[in-house]
Amino acid sequence: MAKVSICIPVYNRPAEVERAVRSALEQTYSDIEVVVVDNASTDETWDVITKIAESDARVRAYRNDSLLPRVLNWRRSLELSEGEYVKLLFSDDWISPDAVERSVEVLDRSPRAGFVFTAMTWHYERPQTCYRHREGRMSSLEFLVRSATVEDQVPVSASCTLMRRTDLLDVFQDELPSNLPFEFSHGLGLDGTLLWRVSDRYPYVHHIADGLAHSADPHSGEPNTRMQIGAERHEMMWWAYRNAFAQSLLTSRRPAHHLRALRTALLVSCVPLRPTAVALRNFRLFRLMFPGRWWDLAPLAAPVRALVARRLREPLDPTIPL
């Protein structure tokens, strides 16, 4: 049994899945398996996968009899895996050769770290590296505060993380409830929810500042979520991740003062400061995410730590509850 499973769910992406699988097989860390689950593709994707699997015994290839909702295919890839650690690598993403080795080194020596995450580069017209933070430990509470502001120093994509398989299966959720007036049909926010719920179980997470994960829009086949919703529906994506974060708070077992701090940080992210029609609308939407009076906020500390340090961009800690 391999120590690390790299799980790659895919649908109709022959070129992209080949790139993802080959990046997994080129890892400097050797004790891996690559679990590829084809979601009943209608093109040559399965042929590409089986050809690679025939040439490398580390690849375990599966094909669904019928098309599953994409999130259920994520789950199936995790359930079929056998490793202690898992990287859920989406099929339009790929990883640098030392990504797994460096992440395993951290988790092996850090049983109190929920997961390891690396910086990640999007290869669009102008490559952009996100999720880059200071190297080393970050308290899980700080990770969640940064997630509440939905800024790009911490990830929502699992492709740049390495986690424990048991944690991922325990926290996995197929869909999220919502009281918001949007139709969230693309699994929006469920990738971030994996990270938030795992981090909630541990005192800290660990960051590797090098860009060891990569992504690009697929050339053909299944569009990614960003492409599916289109620029004109960007607001829906924006609220989907905030709703997903709010739902993770509703199930969190953190102390009440931590939850108040996280709701406060989320409010700062959602509601413009000036009393405008947009601010009023956003505040109403914010309240819909928290039933009853559960959304009550902490006393506004200095005013909310200078508005969560002007929506972050590095220093936070001293020492959270806002």
Side-chain angles (χ1 to χ4, degrees):
M1 182 186 300
K3 183 165 184 174
V4 176
S5 299
I6 303 176
C7 297
I8 306 176
V10 62
Y11 173 72
N12 279 6
R13 287 180 180 165
E16 288 75 12
V17 76
E18 181 170 8
R19 179 179 61 194
V21 173
R22 295 206 180 280
S23 78
L25 295 175
E26 291 167 0
Q27 291 301 297
T28 58
Y29 187 83
S30 60
D31 193 8
I32 65 168
E33 64 170 4
V34 182
V35 179
V36 190
V37 182
D38 178 21
N39 197 12
S41 292
T42 59
D43 61 7
E44 64 270 29
T45 294
W46 179 240
D47 294 335
V48 170
I49 295 166
T50 53
K51 185 176 180 180
I52 299 174
E54 288 168 359
S55 66
D56 196 314
R58 294 174 295 171
V59 179
R60 296 169 52 209
Y62 301 90
R63 179 176 169 84
N64 298 332
D65 294 333
S66 58
L67 184 67
L68 299 177
R70 71 166 69 188
V71 177
L72 294 185
N73 200 39
W74 302 356
R75 181 198 283 272
R76 184 156 193 255
S77 71
L78 296 175
E79 290 172 341
L80 290 167
S81 68
E82 298 177 350
E84 177 185 356
Y85 300 143
V86 167
K87 177 176 285 291
L88 181 58
L89 182 64
F90 297 121
S91 58
D92 51 344
D93 299 339
W94 67 100
I95 48 177
S96 297
D98 57 344
V100 170
E101 181 176 10
R102 294 177 63 183
S103 298
V104 168
E105 286 173 358
V106 172
L107 282 186
D108 276 350
R109 69 172 186 264
S110 308
R112 301 179 71 220
F115 55 82
V116 179
F117 72 96
T118 75
M120 187 167 185
T121 300
W122 272 261
H123 296 265
Y124 302 141
E125 289 183 13
R126 304 178 75 179
Q128 179 181 4
T129 299
C130 298
Y131 309 156
R132 178 164 283 151
H133 186 73
R134 62 183 180 270
E135 182 94 18
R137 288 187 183 185
M138 178 189 296
S139 77
S140 58
L141 180 57
E142 177 164 354
F143 180 86
L144 291 168
V145 168
R146 292 184 179 278
S147 298
T149 66
V150 192
E151 51 92 27
D152 63 10
Q153 290 173 37
V154 295
V156 294
S157 172
S159 288
C160 66
T161 68
L162 188 70
M163 303 191 204
R164 295 172 181 87
R165 178 177 181 271
T166 53
D167 286 329
L168 274 174
L169 289 173
D170 282 350
V171 305
F172 201 97
Q173 191 164 347
D174 299 339
E175 57 185 25
L176 291 170
S178 173
N179 294 318
L180 297 178
F182 300 103
E183 192 269 309
F184 301 142
S185 60
H186 302 298
L188 288 165
L190 284 162
D191 44 359
T193 300
L194 294 173
L195 279 62
W196 302 326
R197 291 186 171 169
V198 171
S199 66
D200 211 33
R201 297 173 157 216
Y202 292 87
Y204 66 88
V205 299
H206 192 100
H207 179 52
I208 297 172
D210 292 332
L212 304 181
H214 307 267
S215 185
D217 286 343
H219 296 100
S220 61
E222 181 185 35
N224 61 24
T225 301
R226 185 181 68 83
M227 296 168 69
Q228 273 190 305
I229 66 171
E232 74 283 356
R233 299 178 71 193
H234 178 75
E235 183 188 31
M236 184 187 76
M237 187 172 183
W238 193 89
W239 279 105
Y241 278 94
R242 283 154 178 81
N243 174 69
F245 188 81
Q247 292 299 324
S248 72
L249 295 185
L250 286 165
T251 60
S252 174
R253 297 180 181 177
R254 285 190 170 272
H257 64 292
H258 285 188
L259 295 174
R260 286 195 298 268
L262 291 165
R263 292 196 299 276
T264 302
L266 185 60
L267 176 69
V268 168
S269 173
C270 289
V271 182
L273 296 179
R274 294 182 179 177
T276 64
V278 171
L280 181 59
R281 172 181 177 271
N282 283 15
F283 186 62
R284 287 171 176 160
L285 292 172
F286 175 83
R287 290 187 59 176
L288 286 175
M289 295 190 295
F290 297 104
R293 293 191 58 79
W294 201 91
W295 52 268
D296 283 347
L297 301 176
L300 298 183
V304 191
R305 190 95 49 74
L307 294 165
V308 189
R310 287 286 169 196
R311 298 227 175 84
L312 299 178
R313 277 285 147 221
E314 268 315 313
L316 179 61
D317 205 334
T319 105
I320 312 178
L322 302 171

